[in-house]
Amino acid sequence: MITRILPALFAAVSTAAIAQPAPPPVQLPSYVAALRDAALKDDLAWDITEGLTTEVGQRLAGTEAEARARAWAVAKLRSLGFANVRIETFDMPVWVRGAESATIVSPFPQKLVLAALGNSGATPPEGIEAEVVSFDSLDALRAAPDALVRGKIVFVSHAMPRTQDGSGYGEFGAPRRQGPSIASRKGAAAIVIRSIGTDYHRNPHTGVQRFEDGVAPIPAAALSLPDAEQLQRIIKRANGQPVRMRLVLTPRNIGTRQSGNVIAEVPGRDPSLPPILVGGHLDSWDLGTGAIDDASGVAITTAAAKRIMDAGRPLRTIRIVWFGAEEVGLYGGIDYMKRYGGKPHYAVAESDFGADRVWRVKTRLGDARKAEAAALRRALLPLGIVPGAEDEGEGSDITPLVEAGQPVVELSQDGTHYFDLHHTPDDTLDKINPEALRQNVAAWTTMLAVLSGGLEPIRRPRR
């Protein structure tokens, strides 16, 4: 069968090649390689990451800490020489964490480690005590009779596999995103889930969830992976005896507060041309200091833009955006879309998947720019970055822009260990490898050098 198919395939390929000749390759200026290689010695990204995580620390969206982070960002971007540095504010509802504890009361008394999920409802200050009812998947909870769940603490265990591209997060994150609403509709007193993570440290992974319209908020939390598996063993060894848990969660909603995007630019020689948008998000969860999520992202993209700015004046404006309030609902990306989404961008790209090495590039630049996309792939190969799809790309805050059809580039970081740290107290500076961080800066510098339309040398006055 194969020997019959192959000739036909070769004929089809040959016919297509004749009908649609490949565009001539884009000749890359010599400075692209020079900038790429020089960026492998970059120290600015580390300085930004260290500064933000040390001088500000945790940066929960809408809080005083995030406001301090915006002020820090403005001062840093201005000191680096960027133009048009500004804060564009927006309002948002703010939820803050309270006391958190879980104890198995019977049949095997012991403490468990957990963290409230974003927008969790609260228990009374003294907590609640109820029987635990266990489900091995969200579908099992969804199919359960309401009477089985009513008045109980729901436990959903759903293990996410480790992958390089993080592709399991969408599917396996469903218990966190949808579980609380499903449990509440069925009359549950509360819900605890297995953390959406891949580590076996006793660190719970928080994350946002939203109760659906008309659904009463209930206490909702994530157990660390060791504690989730411990609870599974407790239920199994109870041999049908009721397992009772005392749960204390006292978060609260503090009303509408202000967040904002911090924006800076490298002005292009032709301001009428669509800009290139690069960035990451400024806010973080409140458990760690947000080093990989996403201080490193704003640092990488800013350091790359700074290298272009210092090398010469690009044809197209490079716009750096440190998005606010990403973790709790993409508020910064939505606000940017409202302000600028109706205007064309030459490309949009975001770094928000940690600080490990970039291993793949994906693009969606359109048929007319295939040669440019090929040139970008060619320029990135020396960094060990392999070509990916030519018709897709993503990033959290740029999602509204991508869905609206704006051209996108995705420089995919290795996420094999990303979900060991994601949304945990372990998201701290010591987890970042400086060499991998430099490789990221080199990749982003290369991308900007290829797409920015050529650099005009800066004329410096003679001394």
Side-chain angles (χ1 to χ4, degrees), residues 376-393:
L376 174 59
R377 294 194 299 274
R378 193 165 70 249
L380 291 169
L381 277 173
L383 297 173
I385 299 171
V386 301
E390 298 179 49
D391 58 354
E392 62 181 62

Side-chain angles (χ1 to χ4, degrees), residues 263-314:
I263 299 177
E265 292 178 337
V266 179
R269 303 194 303 275
D270 187 345
S272 70
L273 295 176
I276 302 169
L277 183 156
V278 297
H281 66 84
L282 178 59
D283 66 309
S284 76
W285 278 107
D286 54 333
L287 300 182
T289 56
I292 69 158
D293 189 17
D294 184 35
S296 58
V298 297
I300 289 161
T301 52
T302 301
K306 169 69 170 170
R307 288 188 164 269
I308 298 298
M309 181 173 65
D310 288 349
R313 193 175 181 195

